[in-house]
Amino acid sequence: MPALQRSEARTRARLLKVHGYTLDLDLTRGETVFGCTTTIRFACAEPGAGTFLDLRPETLHRAVLNGTELDPATLADHRLPLTGLLAENELLLVTDQRYSSTGEGLHRYVDPADGSVYLYATCGPDLAPLAFPCFDQPDLKGTFTLSATAPADWTVLGNGTGKQVAEGRWEFEPTKPFSTYLFTVVAGPLHSVHSEHDGIPLGLHGRRSLAADLDREAEELFEVTRQSFDRLHELFDERYPFGGYDQAFVPEFNWGAMENPGCVVFAEQMLFHSAPTEAERTFRAMVVAHEMSHMWFGDLVTLRWWDDIWLNESFAEYLGFRITDEVTRFRSAWSGFAIKRKGWGYDADQRATTHPIAAEGLESVAEAMGNFDGISYAKGAAALRQLVAWLGDEAFFAGINEHFARHRFGNAELGEFLDVLTATSGRDVRGWAERWLRTSGVDTLRLAVTHDGDTITAAELVPDGSRPHLVGLGVFDLDADGKPVLRDSFRVELEPGTPAPLPQLAGAPRAALLLPNHGDLSWAKIRLDEASWRTVTEKLSLFEDQLTRAVLWEHARDLVRDGELPPSGYLDLVAAHLPGETVDTIVDAVFTFARTKMLPYLAPRERTAAQARLAGAARELLARQDTEQGLRLAALRAAVDNATGEREAAELEEWLGGGAFGIELSAELRWAALVRLAALGVIGEDRIAAELAAEPGSTASEGAARARAALPTAEAKEAAWGLLFGDGSGLSNALLTAVAQGFWQSGGEELQLPYVERYFAEVPAAGERGDIVSRALGAALFPAGWSTPETLALAEAVLADDTLTPGLRRTLADQVDDLRRATRIRG
Ligand SMILES: [Zn+2]
């Protein structure tokens, strides 16, 4: 199945102008398929010419072009040839389309809590033909006029404004033009809450069994939505153009959220079925603002082809964090960016698979898919922060508004954006883009300091890399109590390869810490002088400013990944400073890195001791009297996930019975504890089945799948393997991922090693099962804990297989890169 190539898209875009789609869906046709009647009106610039339509139906019943029946048998490789086009055309298609179980196309979900059925469509980037026949490329925009027949108790949502016109019959007004990848429909017996702001109707929607969660979260979600609309309307000349604004929380969603115009879809975990940390609330607010920013960047003005993903994602990411920080109550958004989001990007930018923010020459959508990564999001946003710092807000937003005015309801490329910014700012934005957007990798900023006694004689900041930077430099002293205090901070402009002298420091007293990239304005690794690093090891938790602590923890993480700080040194930092930490974003990020990424840097016999140290730090934090709820939750999760011995297992049972440290265990925490107990061999199938029956739901179903795969028996492993790779693997995306996550959690060499070999023998075939299954099996199931030269050799041999699909190859290549690093550090 050939994915669309850029050259084909270009030809088709020159030939066609799509006016609009009229779609009528029949959602009452059973469990397997839905009916779809599509009418497409479009113009052709060269009458007589031909092209093709993209469609992936279960059955193509009829295709009628300008009144002439086409032969359905001509459909091949998901394409229907169209010939003899007129200047104006009408194409009618009658199809059955298959429901998806992997979140690709129209996903169907049966709620384990009450048996209700829910549907939602995911069409990006090239999945729309799974939902309806179309010309599926971003620069063929059309209007959408939707109607649907559904069971009587359902609500149907679409991109446009709709209503129920008769029992089970829904009709929608035509939308403004947008790209096919942004189409959605959400349906089921939804629970909904409505509001309005500044003339915009607002709606929140979720499964009926999560009604209490939606009602509890509604006010905060509406508040962030209102605040973000107000700020976006201040920044942009163009008002929100897509009518009402619905936000639907849906099950088994593969991403955080999707920016469908007028109907954004979120992973329903963001409804917080159990109490969240402050970090999770902050992140959700950022995602809400991110998707709203997409209504302009992405939906109003859309990339022409997928190599400009960054024109969508980096802007939405930058504005998502900025707006959250500026106008919502979540003022620590940039700390989360520094310690979590950027780490995702820094890792991606140091792998062999790294690429420029603005990629060039991506021919197929399949290749571009791999670039929905930490580079397009975090690094792109960091680059924009640099650009805004350099140009100033006024010139930046003047350029953006001009860009919107020129391309509204159309498409644009990087070059067009740079031209506008150059015109409004009078600066060499193209030169900036060459160095920031067309290069890959991370620069390093090093401090070189000389002293005479207690006086600094000279200092310079030495950049190693290819980009200009505008960074902060922080100078810290210790006060009388030994607490770090900021003495001074100033901005430094760095040109590539040219050390910048710091005259502010010459003759100044010796500092406890000199911190490059203070304030985290740039995208760079930092290296401190020896005395500054000593201050970090002794004082890290005592720095007043949380962003400074976040930058320093990220620096420590980077040292571990580069083999410059042994894992034991990082664990020392954790033991000394995490129990005193006051921000749950930092606590969660540090524990997550230590458990999921750093443990493979250790030999297996050292891992148990390391986990015991992590659990110890978590307990110390929990024992503090002043800790707030989010902090306690983050620590409790770490205590549960790192429970290793018999004593800890007994304690988990106690917590399951009566709560822990004054916290009643939520469904998520209960299942995390049960998965640990299963992995430790303390509980078996009977207990898992009983817990599942006691409170059925999506959390329980996924928890049970994870726990069963985690049981340390040969039978359990074989059963899990059958689910992952066997014929009957009709598991949904979420359950497949859950099984994969549980699999390696138990069993020593004898139990696991045979599966390492089987993994590399069987995983190449997973590519044929689509992008989402490839990710589950290529990433979640990758044997990252087996960081040995033998595993590495097997992994590298698989990468040499030239039949791998591009999606699976990219997923595996990233994992192999991490494995190479882990194997090298473990030594
Ligand atoms: Zn986005």
Side-chain angles (χ1 to χ4, degrees):
M1 66 176 130
L4 186 70
Q5 301 291 304
R6 178 217 291 262
S7 49
E8 296 174 316
R10 224 180 250 154
T11 306
R12 198 162 62 171
R14 266 200 301 270
L15 199 61
L16 304 187
K17 172 158 185 14
V18 176
H19 303 308
Y21 293 84
T22 304
L23 284 172
D24 186 39
L25 306 181
D26 183 358
L27 308 175
T28 61
R29 300 265 302 275
E31 298 176 9
T32 314
V33 299
F34 60 98
C36 182
T37 302
T38 311
T39 308
I40 312 172
R41 288 172 298 107
F42 62 98
C44 175
E46 296 169 28
T51 185
F52 59 92
L53 183 77
D54 305 296
L55 64 166
R56 299 171 68 177
E58 181 71 4
T59 312
L60 170 58
H61 294 293
R62 284 184 73 197
V64 184
L65 176 61
N66 299 322
T68 305
E69 295 278 344
L70 306 182
D71 180 2
T74 58
L75 171 64
D77 288 334
H78 308 150
R79 293 175 176 188
L80 183 71
L82 304 174
T83 53
L85 294 175
L86 308 177
E88 290 293 336
N89 300 271
E90 186 171 289
L91 177 60
L92 167 77
L93 298 123
V94 181
T95 55
D96 286 353
Q97 306 281 142
R98 197 177 184 83
Y99 289 120
S100 165
S101 60
T102 59
E104 298 163 294
L106 189 59
H107 186 77
R108 184 176 188 275
Y109 180 78
V110 181
D111 190 335
D114 60 11
S116 297
V117 172
Y118 295 90
L119 311 173
Y120 63 88
T122 303
C123 289
D126 62 348
L127 300 173
L130 287 169
F132 63 100
C134 55
F135 297 107
D136 191 26
Q137 62 187 67
D139 56 348
L140 284 176
K141 293 189 175 188
T143 60
F144 291 82
T145 309
L146 175 69
S147 55
T149 304
D153 64 336
W154 281 22
T155 300
V156 180
L157 305 172
N159 300 89
T161 306
K163 62 173 189 284
Q164 191 165 202
V165 294
E167 189 178 86
R169 184 65 192 161
W170 294 76
E171 289 183 2
F172 292 76
E173 292 169 17
T175 64
K176 289 275 199 295
F178 59 78
S179 309
T180 46
Y181 79 93
L182 294 166
F183 173 84
T184 198
V185 57
V186 178
L190 295 165
H191 176 70
S192 301
V193 183
H194 296 279
S195 184
E196 186 269 347
H197 180 65
D198 194 10
I200 303 167
L202 305 177
L204 299 171
H205 314 271
R207 283 191 280 146
R208 196 159 50 184
S209 62
L210 301 179
D213 299 333
L214 186 71
D215 289 343
R216 188 191 58 240
E217 296 303 317
E219 191 39 50
E220 181 173 305
L221 285 164
F222 279 138
E223 184 179 73
V224 171
T225 305
R226 290 183 196 116
Q227 290 166 329
S228 301
F229 262 133
D230 287 348
R231 184 65 179 136
L232 286 162
H233 284 149
E234 273 169 22
L235 294 172
F236 300 152
D237 298 341
E238 175 95 23
R239 260 184 74 82
Y240 170 68
F242 294 108
Y245 196 73
D246 282 310
Q247 298 176 87
F249 294 80
V250 302
E252 302 192 314
F253 192 60
N254 287 312
W255 317 101
M258 179 66 202
E259 66 269 22
N260 315 302
C263 189
V264 172
V265 166
F266 289 80
E268 68 180 16
Q269 287 81 351
M270 288 194 214
L271 277 186
F272 304 140
H273 193 44
S274 57
T277 61
E278 193 65 8
E280 287 164 329
R281 288 195 179 283
T282 305
F283 185 76
R284 180 176 72 181
M286 185 281 288
V287 175
V288 168
H290 174 117
E291 303 310 327
M292 294 177 72
S293 307
H294 269 314
M295 296 299 130
W296 286 261
F297 287 106
D299 296 2
L300 177 68
V301 180
T302 309
L303 43 77
R304 198 177 305 284
W305 185 246
W306 297 103
D307 46 6
D308 272 332
I309 280 173
W310 85 282
L311 273 178
N312 280 8
E313 294 310 337
S314 307
F315 281 84
E317 176 96 346
Y318 169 70
L319 282 172
F321 278 100
R322 176 169 164 169
I323 288 171
T324 305
D325 176 72
E326 283 177 349
V327 300
T328 74
R329 76 174 174 85
F330 302 104
R331 297 300 162 94
S332 62
W334 287 119
S335 304
F337 184 69
I339 196 165
K340 289 199 108 160
R341 211 67 170 167
K342 284 181 85 177
W344 175 40
Y346 283 137
D347 291 0
D349 206 14
Q350 294 175 77
R351 292 193 185 110
T353 52
T354 185
H355 55 86
I357 294 170
E360 256 179 313
L362 291 182
E363 263 304 309
S364 76
V365 190
E367 271 178 279
M369 260 318 272
N371 288 355
F372 279 96
D373 61 8
I375 294 172
S376 294
Y377 287 76
K379 185 182 182 183
L384 287 177
R385 264 189 118 179
Q386 280 287 294
L387 181 62
V388 175
W390 182 55
L391 295 181
D393 254 9
E394 203 177 317
F396 181 71
F397 284 105
I400 292 214
N401 280 314
E402 177 61 26
H403 181 68
F404 291 157
R406 283 187 194 181
H407 304 289
R408 59 199 295 272
F409 299 112
N411 300 81
E413 292 174 358
L414 171 63
E416 292 161 307
F417 176 68
L418 296 178
D419 287 346
V420 170
L421 269 190
T422 303
T424 55
S425 70
R427 309 285 285 266
D428 177 19
V429 182
R430 277 191 177 269
W432 176 89
E434 278 308 311
R435 296 197 285 182
W436 267 98
L437 304 179
R438 294 294 194 195
T439 56
S440 54
V442 190
D443 292 358
T444 303
L445 310 180
R446 250 171 239 286
L447 260 177
V449 195
T450 54
H451 294 98
D452 180 8
D454 278 338
T455 303
I456 297 172
T457 49
E460 55 182 21
L461 193 51
V462 186
D464 177 7
S466 59
R467 303 186 187 105
H469 294 268
L470 180 61
V471 294
L473 191 103
V475 185
F476 292 86
D477 292 324
L478 299 182
D479 70 9
D481 300 327
K483 204 177 159 210
V485 285
L486 186 64
R487 179 206 299 173
D488 192 10
S489 71
F490 46 86
R491 293 256 175 116
V492 185
E493 280 199 51
L494 288 165
E495 278 302 313
T498 313
L502 305 170
Q504 300 91 332
L505 290 176
R510 188 186 276 269
L513 169 70
L514 294 169
L515 179 60
N517 205 16
H518 179 237
D520 202 34
L521 262 192
S522 199
W523 180 259
K525 293 153 84 86
I526 55 172
R527 286 297 180 265
L528 306 177
D529 61 289
E530 208 176 307
S532 290
W533 174 247
R534 202 176 321 114
T535 302
V536 174
T537 61
E538 290 168 3
K539 307 289 182 186
L540 177 48
S541 51
L542 300 178
F543 284 85
E544 185 87 26
D545 171 37
Q546 58 165 280
L547 182 57
T548 300
R549 299 200 300 280
V551 167
L552 291 171
W553 277 110
E554 169 53 31
H555 170 55
R557 193 189 77 98
D558 181 49
L559 292 176
V560 178
R561 278 175 41 85
D562 283 358
E564 294 176 37
L565 176 68
S568 60
Y570 190 82
L571 288 168
D572 290 343
L573 271 187
V574 170
H577 297 294
L578 216 53
E581 181 52 58
T582 54
V583 173
D584 60 35
T585 309
I586 294 177
V587 170
D588 181 56
V590 169
F591 277 132
T592 301
F593 165 68
R595 186 173 62 84
T596 63
K597 299 288 183 191
M598 198 182 73
L599 287 183
Y601 297 176
L602 297 164
R605 64 179 180 286
E606 297 165 339
R607 290 180 197 167
T608 309
Q611 284 198 280
R613 290 194 77 187
L614 294 173
R619 272 160 221 278
E620 254 190 82
L621 214 160
L622 282 161
R624 254 171 51 196
Q625 296 305 310
D626 63 326
T627 48
E628 45 126 26
Q629 172 88 349
L631 214 47
R632 298 170 73 73
L633 271 174
L636 185 55
R637 285 175 195 167
V640 169
D641 288 340
N642 290 296
T644 48
E646 258 175 54
R647 199 170 54 87
E648 287 82 359
E651 200 174 40
L652 286 184
E653 283 284 20
E654 256 173 57
W655 293 350
L656 281 166
F661 300 91
I663 305 173
E664 195 192 335
L665 265 60
S666 63
E668 281 80 6
L669 265 170
R670 281 192 76 78
W671 279 102
L674 290 165
V675 169
R676 282 312 295 156
L677 290 172
L680 294 167
V682 177
I683 65 167
E685 170 56 31
D686 293 356
R687 174 73 176 280
I688 295 170
E691 293 276 353
L692 181 59
E695 200 189 327
S698 51
T699 306
S701 295
E702 288 164 33
R706 207 174 284 122
R708 284 175 174 139
L711 289 170
T713 65
E715 299 72 39
K717 296 300 174 211
E718 201 48 37
W721 205 259
L723 289 173
L724 295 166
F725 289 103
D727 292 340
S729 56
L731 285 190
S732 72
N733 50 339
L735 290 174
L736 195 76
T737 304
V739 174
Q741 288 166 338
F743 189 83
W744 301 108
Q745 291 208 20
S746 69
E749 203 164 299
E750 200 182 323
L751 205 52
Q752 285 195 359
L753 212 46
Y755 287 101
V756 174
E757 280 193 34
R758 280 179 69 178
Y759 176 81
F760 290 110
E762 294 178 34
V763 79
E768 294 307 321
R769 291 162 65 189
D771 193 54
I772 295 303
V773 173
S774 293
R775 278 170 197 253
L777 299 185
L781 188 66
F782 192 87
W786 286 94
S787 45
T788 62
E790 293 75 23
T791 316
L792 189 57
L794 288 171
E796 282 172 340
V798 167
L799 276 190
D801 177 349
D802 57 17
T803 66
L804 291 181
T805 59
L808 181 61
R809 172 178 303 286
R810 173 62 194 272
T811 301
L812 285 173
D814 288 351
Q815 299 298 321
V816 172
D817 211 289
D818 289 358
L819 183 71
R820 197 174 293 126
R821 194 178 277 266
T823 306
R824 190 170 59 231
I825 292 172
R826 185 172 151 184

